[in-house]
Amino acid sequence: LRAVAMRMADAVIVQNSAMAVRLAGEYPEATIRFIPNWVDTDIFAPRPGASSTGRTVLYVGRLVKEKNLEALAWACRQQQLNLLCVGEGPLKETLQGLKAECVGAVPWSMLPRFHRAADAFAMVSHTEGHCKALTEAMASGLPCVVSKAVTEGMVPGINCLQVQPTETSIALALEVLLTDPGFAAKLGAGARATAVQLWNKQIVLDQEIRLLREVAGR
């Protein structure tokens, strides 16, 4: 089906640069364009005033095995952290059994209040493309722990902590973030700068508009 789609499409938008390179090699006659997910950096912005003194780790997305959430929940329990999960999926009851707070799916307009209430964000998936939830967390200035599968825009030690997707590695990274406020603030500022520079909605939407005009003119 992918081969058929590549032949029929005037252009293909890919949100992960590594995947764009791979697909361009597999389908050299197709028009492949890397255009990442955009984020509204006005709506998703760092909270004003003093930083929170809590110990809340936020996850936003589907509650499925691929996202490695059981390891994240165990890591949070080990560090006596509160894991707040926003989203729905078959792992909801399992995560609640591991003491995670699962609030279910919420309207997009409500998401910023969860970012403002959190102290860190985690995306420790086994596989990942370019995660919209991560761009929103980074735009919000949250220090982020990500797995090795998360690569788009990531500069470890500058805008994220990148770890192996194991309970021990995740727990150690979260401990660093929530016991070293200065380092956490540095990562949060780096995350915000990356989101503004690379994924600001106007920059990305301009790319999409140019591509649509190009295709329409053929």
Side-chain angles (χ1 to χ4, degrees):
L1 287 175
R2 177 180 290 177
V4 172
M6 291 293 177
R7 287 197 305 270
M8 296 180 64
D10 292 304
V12 178
I13 293 175
V14 181
Q15 295 163 332
N16 180 283
S17 56
M19 182 179 291
V21 171
R22 180 169 60 82
L23 290 176
E26 293 177 9
Y27 306 98
E29 295 183 1
T31 299
I32 308 290
R33 292 291 177 83
F34 164 58
I35 301 179
N37 277 317
W38 58 267
V39 60
D40 190 322
T41 55
D42 294 326
I43 293 176
F44 291 92
R47 62 187 164 211
S51 298
S52 169
T53 57
R55 293 172 63 80
T56 297
V57 178
L58 176 65
Y59 166 83
V60 178
R62 295 177 296 127
L63 309 184
V64 294
K65 287 282 188 183
E66 178 188 350
K67 301 299 184 179
N68 198 28
L69 296 173
E70 289 170 274
L72 175 59
W74 278 111
C76 287
R77 286 189 70 180
Q78 183 177 331
Q79 295 297 333
Q80 297 183 320
L81 303 174
N82 305 313
L83 175 59
L84 174 60
C85 296
V86 179
E88 290 286 357
L91 286 184
K92 184 174 183 178
E93 290 187 6
T94 299
L95 293 171
Q96 289 174 326
L98 293 171
K99 308 303 181 184
E101 180 183 357
C102 300
V103 299
V106 303
W108 180 77
S109 60
M110 288 180 59
L111 287 177
R113 73 176 63 177
F114 289 99
H115 291 83
R116 289 192 292 270
D119 302 285
F121 183 87
M123 183 58 65
V124 292
S125 312
H126 292 299
T127 62
E128 198 62 69
H130 184 224
C131 178
K132 182 82 168 176
L134 179 59
T135 66
E136 292 169 346
M138 292 175 70
S140 300
L142 285 175
C144 298
V145 174
V146 302
S147 70
K148 297 285 186 178
V150 182
T151 58
E152 194 62 51
M154 298 297 101
V155 185
I158 302 298
N159 62 13
C160 70
L161 280 183
Q162 198 168 47
V163 300
Q164 296 292 346
T166 65
E167 294 170 20
T168 300
S169 295
I170 298 166
L172 288 174
L174 290 173
E175 181 182 23
V176 168
L177 286 185
L178 297 176
T179 58
D180 189 342
F183 181 56
K186 173 189 170 184
L187 288 186
R192 169 71 180 178
T194 298
V196 170
Q197 180 180 1
L198 299 182
W199 307 319
N200 179 277
K201 66 176 182 178
Q202 198 55 58
I203 294 173
V204 177
L205 290 176
D206 284 347
Q207 295 176 43
E208 293 184 359
I209 290 169
R210 285 196 298 272
L211 178 58
L212 289 171
R213 287 175 172 166
E214 178 185 324
V215 170
R218 291 179 182 174

